[in-house]
């Protein structure tokens, strides 16, 4: 990395080299190591994960890439600013049980029960963030939080 970024002021060149050589996990890890590029690292990671380009299992510390853990750290760090918006990041998770577990934990940790929706005074239901999910997943989250 030092060859591509000798002054430590432009990590994007080495990040680009890692992307072009299809070292996606290493590219995300490298970009994430610069505080000013954490958001970009997460969004690149989300895109690569969505298209199935990340090997998402961490075999041991530093070997492999645990996308779920990476995403959770980001949501935990910034999620308190707008919990419903940051909860949407968990919708990317391919594993249904991991999605449910992360959503339940996030809702409980942030105490944002309105993400589950609520009954209005006229008896109608005001949908919450979980209502954007398939009903079986939403119902599972609601029952586990309640």
């Amino acid at each position: 990395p030092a060859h591509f970024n000798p002054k430590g002021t432009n990590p994007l060149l080495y990040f680009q080299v890692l992307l072009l050589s299809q070292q996606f996990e290493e590219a995300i890890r490298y970009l994430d190591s610069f505080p000013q590029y954490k958001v970009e690292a997460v969004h690149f990671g989300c895109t690569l994960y969505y298209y199935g380009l990340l090997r998402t299992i961490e075999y041991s510390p530093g070997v492999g890439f645990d996308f779920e853990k990476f995403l959770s750290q980001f949501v935990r760090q910034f999620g308190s600013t707008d919990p419903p918006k940051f909860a949407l990041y968990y919708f990317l998770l391919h594993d249904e049980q991991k999605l449910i577990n992360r959503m339940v934990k996030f809702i409980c940790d942030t105490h944002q029960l309105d993400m589950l929706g609520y009954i209005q005074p006229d008896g109608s239901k005001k949908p919450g963030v979980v209502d954007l999910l398939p009903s079986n997943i939403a119902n599972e989250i609601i029952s586990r939080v309640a």
Side-chain angles (χ1 to χ4, degrees):
H3 173 74
F4 296 98
N5 188 17
K7 296 179 182 175
T9 57
N10 185 11
L12 297 178
L13 180 59
Y14 186 60
F15 172 71
Q16 184 179 15
V17 168
L18 291 169
L19 282 179
L20 292 172
S21 60
Q22 297 183 6
Q23 298 178 60
F24 301 127
E25 300 83 4
E26 191 58 37
I28 300 306
R29 211 180 342 262
Y30 177 74
L31 193 60
D32 186 54
S33 70
F34 293 88
Q36 69 269 33
Y37 290 109
K38 284 201 177 295
V39 172
E40 288 81 0
V42 168
H43 289 108
F44 267 101
C46 288
T47 303
L48 293 167
Y49 176 81
Y50 178 81
Y51 286 106
L53 297 171
L54 286 180
R55 290 170 290 195
T56 58
I57 297 175
E58 188 172 39
Y59 305 105
S60 61
V63 179
F65 187 76
D66 188 343
F67 178 75
E68 179 191 347
K69 181 179 169 185
F70 177 69
L71 189 64
S72 293
Q73 288 170 343
F74 173 74
V75 171
R76 196 172 337 138
Q77 184 177 0
F78 297 105
S80 62
T81 59
D82 189 356
K85 181 164 79 175
F86 280 87
L88 296 174
Y89 281 93
Y90 288 130
F91 287 24
L92 288 170
L93 297 176
H94 298 162
D95 184 309
E96 197 173 284
Q97 276 309 306
K98 288 182 179 182
L99 165 63
I100 291 169
N101 292 340
R102 290 294 175 172
M103 285 295 295
V104 168
K105 182 169 177 15
F106 186 64
I107 292 168
C108 291
D109 288 350
T110 60
H111 306 291
Q112 294 286 320
L113 298 178
D114 58 331
M115 284 194 263
L116 302 174
Y118 56 90
I119 305 299
Q120 296 181 341
D122 66 359
S124 62
K125 183 178 190 276
K126 170 87 169 146
V129 170
V130 297
D131 292 307
L132 298 171
L133 293 164
S135 61
N136 62 318
I137 296 173
N139 291 337
E140 175 71 18
I141 292 169
I142 291 168
S143 68
R144 287 182 51 192
V145 170

